[in-house]
Amino acid sequence: MKALLTIIISVQLLLATSWALAHIPDTQHSKGVSYITGGVGEGESTAILAEAKQWPLLLELSQIQNGRCVWIFGASIKIMGSTKQVIFDAQAERPYMLVNLVPGDYTLEASYESVVQKRSISIKSDSSQTLSVFWK
């Protein structure tokens, strides 16, 4: 009986630890657009990537450093609508950013260490896309 109780407690601790590792950061908002920025540690990265299937846009932010690709923190992300008006403006505190955009065409402006990159984005209904942005 004592062995069974030990197994049950061990399984509960393992499940609690797995849940804690798979925690997704809180949803935030910029100009009415919801987003999540995350990806620190293997558990959070795994959780973000699993969650990405439910979001229209996943941004992956990295930099080439000494010939290797490394994740970056602190990129400034702006998204403009078709009228060139900024509809989203937030800091990517971590290397992944999920952005909940409605279907349409947008321009992404990503800035990191004073280097700005622009990309066109076309969000379709009922699909998600990943956009990798990296700096050299």
Side-chain angles (χ1 to χ4, degrees):
M1 185 66 159
K2 186 176 179 181
L4 179 59
L5 184 58
T6 302
I7 291 172
I8 291 171
I9 291 172
S10 297
V11 168
Q12 287 177 337
L13 286 173
L14 181 62
L15 290 173
T17 302
S18 297
W19 180 84
L21 291 174
H23 176 71
I24 295 174
D26 292 336
T27 301
Q28 301 176 55
H29 295 85
S30 170
K31 299 184 179 279
V33 176
S34 56
Y35 72 98
I36 295 173
T37 179
V40 175
E42 186 177 342
E44 189 175 284
S45 292
T46 301
I48 288 283
L49 293 173
E51 180 73 12
K53 298 171 186 168
Q54 308 301 316
W55 289 70
L57 179 63
L58 166 64
L59 298 175
E60 298 177 327
L61 308 166
S62 60
Q63 177 181 31
I64 303 298
Q65 196 174 64
N66 297 327
R68 293 181 36 180
C69 183
V70 295
W71 297 118
I72 63 167
F73 301 78
S76 174
I77 306 297
K78 290 184 182 180
I79 299 175
M80 283 72 71
S82 58
T83 63
K84 305 298 180 205
Q85 179 181 1
V86 176
I87 62 158
F88 180 83
D89 187 359
Q91 184 101 3
E93 299 160 355
R94 297 174 181 155
Y96 292 122
M97 181 179 262
L98 300 172
V99 185
N100 191 16
L101 296 172
V102 297
D105 295 321
Y106 302 92
T107 300
L108 171 87
E109 185 177 285
S111 176
Y112 181 70
E113 294 183 346
S114 302
V115 177
V116 178
Q117 295 191 46
K118 291 186 178 184
R119 305 275 177 89
S120 295
I121 306 169
S122 184
I123 301 295
K124 309 289 187 216
S125 296
D126 299 325
S127 68
S128 59
Q129 66 176 291
T130 300
L131 180 61
S132 297
V133 183
F134 65 90
W135 285 260
K136 293 183 180 184

